[in-house]
């Protein structure tokens, strides 16, 4: 018996016909260049900004006949028309009651307050007062009217820094003056015509308070506000 060893068979490297070769992994889609995306976004932004600027320019400078001419203007509420604020009998009776009670130097007791020509929801600066002027004061704008010469109606927004002024009396009883007085910085205005007579409004030479124009109906006794002469917080020119 021979001692020669038989060679050991080597495993075959040829794949078995029944064995499938491994499938290569699918290739992912090539990512879009971030530089290109950013460039597109910037371009879109610039185009949009130029378009918006063009529209705003057209709206700002277009003639009033075009619908968009006031696109940049603030929304201004509509003025109210003539508004009944009180009656002469009611106002005069308040004054007579104050005189009887010894409160003639407290003009708020025979005043009434109202908003005109804009309601408080539109602007708090259009609060006004109508007051039965204490005798012998006379409203210089209605000096020949038997009723309205005894009445004054003024806007209450101080032309200094837009606080609300109040009817009052400056000085000692009998030797002072009926005025509208600002509680914030001390401006004071004559009760008859709203002209500044003291405080910052006087020192700075500011305009008189706007006055409410009035009409009187002798048939009903009603007093109606018809217009506002001036602008609240700024004053009137006359």
């Amino acid at each position: 018996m021979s001692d020669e060893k038989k060679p050991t068979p080597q495993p075959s490297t040829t794949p078995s016909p029944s064995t499938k070769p491994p499938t290569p992994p699918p290739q992912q889609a090539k990512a879009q260049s971030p530089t290109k995306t950013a460039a597109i976004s910037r371009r879109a932004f610039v185009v949009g900004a130029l378009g918006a600027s063009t529209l705003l320019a057209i709206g700002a400078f277009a003639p009033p006949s075009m619908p968009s001419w006031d696109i940049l203007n603030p929304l201004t509420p509509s003025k109210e028309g003539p508004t009944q604020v009180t009656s002469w009998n009611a106002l005069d009776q308040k004054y007579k009651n104050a005189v009887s009670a010894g409160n003639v130097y407290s003009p708020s007791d025979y005043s009434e307050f109202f908003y005109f020509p804009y309601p408080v929801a539109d602007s708090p600066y259009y609060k006004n007062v109508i007051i039965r002027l204490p005798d012998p004061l006379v409203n210089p704008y209605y000096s020949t009217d038997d009723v309205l010469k005894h009445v004054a109606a003024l806007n209450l927004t101080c032309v200094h820094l837009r606080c609300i002024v109040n009817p009052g009396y400056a000085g000692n009883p009998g030797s002072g003056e009926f005025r509208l007085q600002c509680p914030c910085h001390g401006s004071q205005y004559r009760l008859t015509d709203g002209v500044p007579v003291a405080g910052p409004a006087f020192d700075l030479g500011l305009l008189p308070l706007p006055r409410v124009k009035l009409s009187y109906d002798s048939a009903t006794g009603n007093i109606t506000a018809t217009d506002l002469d001036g602008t609240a917080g700024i004053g009137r020119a006359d």
Side-chain angles (χ1 to χ4, degrees):
M1 186 174 190
S2 173
D3 292 335
E4 186 179 9
K5 295 183 180 181
K6 295 181 179 182
T8 304
Q10 298 295 324
S12 174
T13 58
T14 303
S16 171
S18 61
T19 305
K20 293 183 178 180
T23 303
Q27 293 184 355
Q28 295 182 351
K30 186 177 181 181
Q32 189 175 10
S33 171
T35 304
K36 185 176 181 180
T37 302
I40 293 174
S41 299
R42 287 195 294 270
R43 187 179 300 112
F45 171 79
V46 171
V47 172
L50 289 175
S53 300
T54 302
L55 290 175
L56 291 175
I58 292 173
F61 298 103
S65 59
M66 295 185 64
S68 62
W69 76 276
D70 61 348
I71 189 173
L72 296 181
N73 291 340
L75 296 176
T76 303
S78 300
K79 282 186 175 183
E80 295 179 342
T83 302
Q84 179 186 332
V85 293
T86 189
S87 70
W88 164 247
N89 289 337
L91 202 59
D92 188 48
Q93 189 59 51
K94 282 189 173 185
Y95 173 70
K96 291 176 180 177
N97 293 341
V99 172
S100 299
N103 294 330
V104 69
Y105 296 107
S106 179
S108 292
D109 290 352
Y110 41 94
S111 301
E112 294 186 17
F113 302 90
F114 63 100
Y115 284 88
F116 178 84
Y118 302 105
V120 64
D122 290 339
S123 174
Y125 297 121
Y126 285 88
K127 184 178 182 180
N128 311 289
V129 63
I130 183 168
I131 184 169
R132 201 293 198 183
L133 292 173
D135 295 332
L137 298 182
V138 171
N139 186 329
Y141 293 95
Y142 301 107
S143 58
T144 60
D145 188 294
D146 291 339
V147 171
L148 294 182
K149 69 180 181 181
H150 298 295
V151 175
L154 296 163
N155 180 262
L156 293 176
T157 301
C158 183
V159 298
H160 175 225
L161 290 176
R162 297 192 174 186
C163 293
I164 299 299
V165 301
N166 300 295
Y169 189 83
N172 297 320
S175 61
E177 185 178 37
F178 288 95
R179 296 177 179 177
L180 292 167
Q181 300 170 318
C182 179
C184 298
H185 308 101
S187 291
Q188 299 188 35
Y189 308 81
R190 275 199 306 256
L191 192 60
T192 53
D193 55 11
V195 172
V197 291
F202 174 76
D203 297 337
L204 297 173
L206 302 182
L207 296 174
L209 295 173
R211 69 180 185 92
V212 180
K213 295 182 178 181
L214 303 172
S215 68
Y216 172 67
D217 186 345
S218 58
T220 62
N222 293 331
I223 299 176
T224 298
T226 60
D227 198 5
L228 185 70
D229 179 13
T231 302
I234 297 176
R236 69 176 195 270
D238 62 354

